[in-house]
Amino acid sequence: MEWIQQLVNGISIGSIYALIALGYTMVYGIIKLINFAHGDVFMLGAFIGFYAIARWEMNVFLALVLAMILCAVIGVIIERIAYKRLRNATRIAALITAIGVSLLIEYTVIFFRGASPEAYPNVFSKTNFEIFGVQISTLSIFILSISIFLMILLQFIVHKTKIGKAMRAVSHDADAAKLMGINVDNTISATFAIGSALAGAAGVIFGIYYTRIDPLMGMLPGIKAFIAAVLGGIGIIPGAMVGGLLLGVVETIVSALGYSLWRDAAAFVILILILIIRPAGIFGKNTREKV
Amino acid sequence: MKKSKIFWGYAVLALVIYVVVQLLINNGFVAFYYQNMLIAMCINIMLAVSLHVIIGITGQFSIGHAGFLAVGAYISAICTMKLGLPFVTAILIGAVVAALAGLLVGIPTLRLKGDYLAIATLGFAEIIRIVFLNVDYVGGAAGISVTHQSTWTYAFFGTFITILVIANFTNSRHGRACISIREDEIAADAMGINTTYYKVVAFAIGSFFAGVAGAIYAHNYYLIQPTAFGFLKSFDILIFVVLGGLGSLSGSVIAAILLTIVSTYLQGFPETRMIIYSLVLILVMLYRPTGLLGTKEITEFFKFGKKGGTRV
């Protein structure tokens, strides 16, 4: 039973990683940029949620929606100001800009409110359900249901709507999509908006789960989410979900075995192994590079 | 013939600078604060130049350079503090172990390209940091205390040898092979260049000198902790190289000197320092993606009236 308990915890953390990873994978799929600032949008989401709940006394769900909307706006602004000019620049230039944007967001937040951590208010009473001898808290159920809902919503947007179709077309071949009359700029902005909204939601959930947020918290989950995206096969949406959940479960197992200090190293070892053994990820097809 | 004349000119100039500064220090004209700044400058130049071999010359986008710095720092600290070896031996051992770490990272990850290589090297650097964090022999999170042994002489000769080796490497046959890999790996391969071999060599050289820098770093700051070698340190080093110009040795040196001065004066305001850093980084990338000097060397700007001909 102990193991199932750990599995539930792992899935809870994993679904947070999965939500961030979805944004990474969508952005990477469409403009081939590792958006390092994505982890910081996640941090901003956590802070917006915090202020909404603790200072403006909002309902959790309202706070979640507010964080998602504001993060979407922030994501689009970042894309328009920093990344748009770099569409045709080298990959290195784009990656370094992303690192710069990430540092800028972190230290601007520190500049305005200091680096001290903030304690998230308790929004859920500690009631536990017992299902087949496994204790499941309302919090885990909340996290899981929100994540699953958002993922289904994303699948719906990507596969059933017009903007989703445009996104898939641009990620397949941006030039051809442009010739077919798709507004590539708007599609990329929409991708950033959706990805950032998911990161914002993940930020609020993270805050509620760990009850401790600080301006530098985006770094590690951001990179872990990228690992999750690579694990599942970058650019593939179900891959990001599976990768995130898998990473969360592996981390919890490593912690449960008593190696909690090595938890972060485990994520990087997974990254390096997957890059060496199967660079296309679990769901990706191995394609040979054309010369 | 002419080239070697220029080379000796620079070498003599560098030695003159060394002697002048050393005399000033001996006569007490340079306060301890500024001595420290000079040593920090030398360490940053070494780091920038060693990363320049990997990113600027060979075009392998590695953003985990702080990992090699950490290896050099910790191994040399173990040598002097635990094993009681002399400082020079410790520097050499630290550098060799860092070079081995470079080989270890280089060989498996070299089938990766661009972004994937970047993220894999970042991962390796983090793993190195977490290993040092969890090994009690080196003090874990509390760190290891080190006696102050770095002087201007060590820092200067470390930098001098680093620049000497890397400048000569760049101008050699092997350096040109590395440059061809940067320009177009597939074409270089087709021309018969053993791309894997040169990429590994570049990684090993870069990490070797990062190890030297690490040894001098460790013996300058009394205490080394794993937190000093995180993402931010790697990004700091990356900023030197990128700002100076990817592919320009003098550019990285100048950027390292300038940014050391700026960050020393902004030490009292760490948030402002990082905001300025990141803004500069973004603006340079948006308006001048090749960095301040591009792939040119500073000396090329002083050759008036010699336009045209074969410039390499």
Side-chain angles (χ1 to χ4, degrees):
Chain A
M1 283 307 117
E2 174 68 27
W3 283 103
I4 301 176
Q5 187 79 56
Q6 294 296 347
L7 199 65
V8 172
N9 290 343
I11 290 172
S12 302
I13 303 167
S15 50
I16 297 176
Y17 288 148
L19 280 180
I20 316 174
L22 287 170
Y24 261 116
T25 215
M26 284 164 66
V27 167
Y28 194 90
I30 211 158
I31 55 171
K32 298 278 175 288
L33 164 75
I34 302 179
N35 183 11
F36 266 104
H38 197 67
D40 299 291
V41 173
F42 158 79
M43 177 270 290
L44 289 175
F47 271 95
I48 294 166
F50 169 76
Y51 285 116
I53 296 172
R55 300 281 159 85
W56 309 324
E57 291 169 355
M58 273 186 183
N59 180 318
V60 186
F61 291 98
L62 268 181
L64 194 71
V65 173
L66 179 77
M68 286 176 74
I69 292 171
L70 288 181
C71 283
V73 173
I74 293 166
V76 173
I77 292 173
I78 292 173
E79 194 268 328
R80 284 279 150 120
I81 294 177
Y83 301 151
K84 200 176 170 189
R85 292 181 61 100
L86 292 166
R87 291 281 160 73
N88 299 316
T90 56
R91 301 275 283 277
I92 290 179
L95 188 57
I96 289 167
T97 312
I99 293 173
V101 172
S102 160
L103 293 177
L104 183 66
I105 296 175
E106 279 164 16
Y107 285 90
T108 314
V109 173
I110 290 181
F111 184 77
F112 283 113
R113 64 163 296 285
S116 54
E118 204 84 68
Y120 239 71
N122 258 331
V123 282
F124 287 99
S125 51
K126 290 260 179 231
T127 43
N128 288 333
F129 294 98
E130 207 181 287
I131 302 170
F132 307 120
V134 183
Q135 298 278 325
I136 298 177
S137 62
T138 31
L139 188 58
S140 306
I141 293 175
F142 167 77
I143 292 177
L144 270 182
S145 46
I146 292 281
S147 326
I148 291 169
F149 170 73
L150 288 174
M151 289 172 195
I152 291 172
L153 187 69
L154 182 69
Q155 280 290 340
F156 175 78
I157 292 175
V158 170
H159 289 285
K160 303 284 179 202
T161 62
K162 214 168 175 180
I163 190 75
K165 206 173 194 177
M167 277 158 56
R168 280 181 289 147
V170 173
S171 85
H172 195 72
D173 188 336
D175 291 325
K178 202 179 254 166
L179 291 175
M180 288 293 136
I182 292 171
N183 187 336
V184 174
D185 282 338
N186 282 353
T187 310
I188 292 175
S189 292
T191 312
F192 267 86
I194 295 171
S196 305
L198 291 175
V204 178
I205 295 173
F206 183 93
I208 295 171
Y209 190 78
Y210 284 100
T211 65
R212 202 185 116 102
I213 56 171
D214 67 87
L216 294 178
M217 70 184 234
M219 248 183 201
L220 208 55
I223 289 177
K224 280 188 193 159
F226 181 76
I227 297 174
V230 172
L231 183 61
I234 199 143
I236 303 163
I237 288 174
M241 292 183 208
V242 173
L245 291 175
L246 210 59
L247 194 64
V249 171
V250 169
E251 281 198 358
T252 324
I253 289 173
V254 171
S255 299
L257 288 173
Y259 298 103
S260 55
L261 286 168
W262 295 91
R263 196 185 60 201
D264 298 336
F268 289 107
V269 170
I270 291 177
L271 168 78
I272 288 160
L273 287 181
I274 197 90
L275 283 177
I276 291 168
I277 298 166
R278 197 176 160 80
I282 299 172
F283 285 72
K285 287 194 197 90
N286 269 321
T287 45
R288 284 194 72 88
E289 195 164 329
K290 274 179 238 154
V291 180
Chain B
M1 191 62 217
K2 196 164 151 273
K3 218 164 202 163
S4 73
K5 224 183 233 168
I6 295 172
F7 165 75
W8 287 111
Y10 284 127
V12 169
L13 183 71
L15 288 174
V16 168
I17 293 175
Y18 163 71
V19 171
V20 168
V21 174
Q22 185 62 45
L23 281 177
L24 287 177
I25 290 174
N26 284 349
N27 294 323
F29 283 112
V30 184
F32 186 68
Y33 178 77
Y34 291 104
Q35 276 184 44
N36 235 340
M37 195 162 121
L38 280 174
I39 294 174
M41 213 179 262
C42 288
I43 293 169
N44 284 341
I45 293 174
M46 270 185 268
L47 287 172
V49 172
S50 60
L51 187 60
H52 157 83
V53 186
I54 301 173
I55 296 188
I57 301 292
T58 322
Q60 298 303 302
F61 200 33
S62 154
I63 54 176
H65 216 52
F68 305 127
L69 174 71
V71 171
Y74 269 97
I75 298 295
S76 69
I78 291 171
C79 287
T80 53
M81 302 312 295
K82 307 261 178 184
L83 308 177
L85 295 172
F87 186 36
V88 179
T89 326
I91 294 178
L92 275 178
I93 294 176
V96 168
V97 176
L100 290 178
L103 286 179
L104 199 73
V105 176
I107 293 169
T109 50
L110 283 173
R111 24 183 303 192
L112 307 170
K113 285 198 187 90
D115 302 342
Y116 287 103
L117 178 67
I119 211 88
T121 48
L122 189 69
F124 263 113
E126 262 320 90
I127 291 175
I128 290 173
R129 192 179 70 81
I130 294 169
V131 168
F132 283 128
L133 189 66
N134 287 303
V135 173
D136 289 329
Y137 184 67
V138 291
I144 179 170
S145 60
V146 187
T147 49
H148 182 93
Q149 295 188 38
S150 299
T151 56
W152 162 246
T153 311
Y154 284 114
F156 175 83
F157 281 104
T159 316
F160 185 65
I161 293 167
T162 308
I163 295 180
L164 199 72
V165 170
I166 287 173
N168 280 328
F169 174 76
T170 312
N171 286 325
S172 71
R173 204 166 71 123
H174 309 288
R176 292 189 194 288
C178 287
I179 293 174
S180 75
I181 294 173
R182 173 186 80 193
E183 296 300 334
D184 191 334
E185 194 178 330
I186 294 167
D189 206 13
M191 298 311 286
I193 288 167
N194 188 346
T195 51
T196 315
Y197 170 76
Y198 281 111
K199 286 196 274 185
V200 173
V201 165
F203 245 91
I205 293 178
S207 46
F208 180 87
F209 287 108
V212 175
I216 292 171
Y217 179 93
H219 293 80
N220 192 36
Y221 291 105
Y222 302 101
L223 180 70
I224 47 171
Q225 287 177 309
T227 43
F229 306 107
F231 300 136
L232 274 180
K233 190 71 197 171
S234 293
F235 291 158
D236 264 355
I237 305 168
L238 183 67
I239 290 170
F240 298 140
V241 178
V242 171
L243 201 68
L246 286 165
S248 164
L249 189 136
S250 45
S252 351
V253 173
I254 291 166
I257 293 174
L258 282 180
L259 288 177
T260 313
I261 295 171
V262 170
S263 62
T264 311
Y265 282 111
L266 287 176
Q267 216 140 48
F269 320 93
E271 300 93 31
T272 333
R273 173 182 159 245
M274 288 312 293
I275 291 178
I276 294 174
Y277 250 50
S278 52
L279 273 179
V280 167
L281 198 62
I282 295 170
L283 290 176
V284 169
M285 279 301 115
L286 287 184
Y287 294 100
R288 199 168 163 76
T290 48
L292 294 178
L293 295 188
T295 51
K296 289 199 177 88
E297 296 297 338
I298 187 86
T299 47
E300 289 175 29
F301 290 93
F302 299 117
K303 286 178 185 162
F304 299 110
K306 282 188 189 171
K307 295 261 160 66
T310 49
R311 206 187 64 203
V312 194

